[in-house]
Amino acid sequence: MTAIFLHPDYTPTETSAKLTFGGNRLNRQSEERADDCVDVALANPSTRLMGFARGRVLVALGAERASGLHSLESLSAFAPKIDRAVLLGFDGDAARLAVPLGINPDEEGFSLPEPFKAIDYRSLARQQLLDAEELGIVAQGGAVLAWHANARFSGRSGQETVMVGGGVKRRCEADGRDEFPRTDPVVIMLITHGDRCLLGRSHHFPAGMYSALAGFVEPGESIEMAVRRETHEESGLFVGDVRYHASQPWPFPHSLMIGCYGEALTDIISRDESELDDCRWFDRETIRTLLQQNDSGGPHEDGALFLPPRLAIANRLVLDWAGLG
């Protein structure tokens, strides 16, 4: 796949490009769209659509590879809501669209004809069922459709909004004001002190799992200051130097995870118990052991510590710090 804004002989090598959901290369043409661009795309036989239903993607499981991209004809059996289809961009001259489906995978007795399955985003990533570029389309399509579902009425006028520009924005019918899809920036940081790194457990984590600390960037706040604030709020630690490492689109529902390293100025933890179930320092050798256990693929024993899976940017932060990336 190629996109106009990328040189045809160049493949990105930054860490972000290696992360799950980070492989989207579509040319979005967000500034060059006519209001009938979805209709024009649907009339072109080269167009492919990705179908979404309740946090799942319709996937055709083939003998050699799975695909989440379908022709309009093959998608017609799954109640596509074409009036809500969103133009994501172009792979060369071929359009790529995201469309909500009328099926309900949560319904009792629900089933799909072979070879189709409705698979949630995390399972697609964990099982590596789709290639990197299709997973990038999953992230974009899931995030944009989630925003459209929540932006049907203007927060300013309270009146209904309509999709324009193929889904690149919505317009309030009362005052003509445009609203654009939102992305929520989240800092996720591996805090270090000498040869140790800080990991914590949120109350909702599976038993035994530890991860990097994280939190939303607030208005008027730099990435670096968000790292310092969130770390101090959750662990009581003061952070000095902060450096950016990588970013990852995260469609739950429309976040951008901004991965950083931060250097702690002290090592005395004063955990906020309302935020974290636990928080502790791990030396580099312990981290390497945990990473190797993560890669074994087997179930974790009761009480055993483990790290986030490779699909998460937290894993990459720890992996690169440990020298195993």
Side-chain angles (χ1 to χ4, degrees):
M1 293 184 180
T2 59
I4 292 173
F5 66 92
L6 284 174
H7 191 281
D9 297 329
Y10 176 74
T11 298
T13 58
E14 65 269 11
T15 301
S16 301
K18 304 173 186 176
L19 293 171
T20 302
F21 302 124
N24 191 332
R25 297 166 63 94
L26 296 182
N27 180 10
R28 305 184 186 208
Q29 296 186 4
S30 300
E31 305 298 324
E32 305 170 4
R33 296 186 178 190
D35 284 341
D36 66 346
C37 59
V38 169
D39 292 334
V40 171
L42 290 173
N44 190 327
S46 67
T47 293
R48 292 295 178 266
L49 302 89
M50 186 170 282
F52 293 79
R54 296 176 179 258
R56 296 173 175 84
V57 176
L58 183 73
V59 175
L61 301 175
E64 296 184 359
R65 64 178 295 270
S67 178
L69 294 172
H70 314 278
S71 67
L72 179 59
E73 181 181 4
S74 64
L75 207 64
S76 62
F78 305 101
K81 299 177 181 180
I82 296 300
D83 60 323
R84 301 186 193 175
V86 171
L87 176 62
L88 301 177
F90 294 85
D91 172 17
D93 294 327
R96 298 290 182 255
L97 277 70
V99 58
L101 303 178
I103 60 175
N104 182 3
D106 296 323
E107 189 175 37
E108 185 176 355
F110 175 84
S111 64
L112 290 170
E114 295 293 339
F116 295 99
K117 298 289 183 185
I119 304 175
D120 66 274
Y121 308 160
R122 279 188 173 88
S123 295
L124 285 173
R126 282 179 182 270
Q127 300 172 35
Q128 298 182 331
L129 292 175
L130 303 180
D131 64 28
E133 294 182 32
E134 283 199 27
L135 281 173
I137 295 173
V138 169
Q140 182 188 0
V144 172
L145 290 180
W147 175 78
H148 278 288
N150 291 326
R152 292 175 51 233
F153 294 89
S154 169
R156 183 176 183 178
S157 69
Q159 300 301 304
E160 194 166 3
T161 63
V162 295
M163 184 188 299
V164 294
V168 75
K169 57 187 175 182
R170 297 185 72 88
R171 182 165 294 154
C172 176
E173 294 190 299
D175 59 17
R177 180 172 174 264
D178 288 338
E179 298 183 5
F180 296 86
R182 62 180 290 175
T183 296
D184 300 326
V186 179
V187 288
I188 180 165
M189 48 276 180
L190 189 67
I191 304 304
T192 63
H193 189 268
D195 201 43
R196 296 180 297 169
C197 71
L198 183 76
L199 298 177
R201 278 186 43 75
S202 291
H203 297 289
H204 67 275
F205 280 6
M209 191 178 94
Y210 281 75
S211 183
L213 305 187
F216 288 98
V217 180
E218 295 188 354
E221 187 173 51
S222 69
I223 291 169
E224 292 82 358
M225 291 303 291
V227 167
R228 297 183 181 107
R229 175 185 54 78
E230 282 287 344
T231 301
H232 186 71
E233 288 177 355
E234 296 187 4
S235 71
L237 291 168
F238 290 96
V239 174
D241 290 344
V242 174
R243 63 183 174 89
Y244 167 81
H245 186 59
S247 63
Q248 180 185 36
W250 195 242
F252 303 101
H254 34 58
S255 295
L256 177 67
M257 306 299 292
I258 304 167
C260 297
Y261 292 111
E263 181 182 340
L265 300 177
T266 61
D267 65 352
I268 306 301
I269 297 171
S270 179
R271 169 174 58 92
D272 181 344
E273 296 182 5
S274 68
E275 290 271 359
L276 297 176
D277 183 54
D278 189 24
C279 186
R280 64 177 79 168
W281 293 106
F282 291 80
D283 63 56
R284 206 178 302 260
E285 285 307 312
T286 300
I287 288 295
R288 287 171 176 161
T289 299
L290 290 175
L291 285 166
Q292 290 164 357
Q293 292 171 350
N294 259 38
D295 289 341
S296 67
H300 300 286
E301 297 179 2
D302 291 343
L305 303 186
F306 65 99
L307 303 176
R310 282 186 176 262
L311 69 91
I313 191 173
N315 183 284
R316 171 58 63 174
L317 284 167
V318 175
L319 194 74
D320 287 352
W321 176 78
L324 299 178

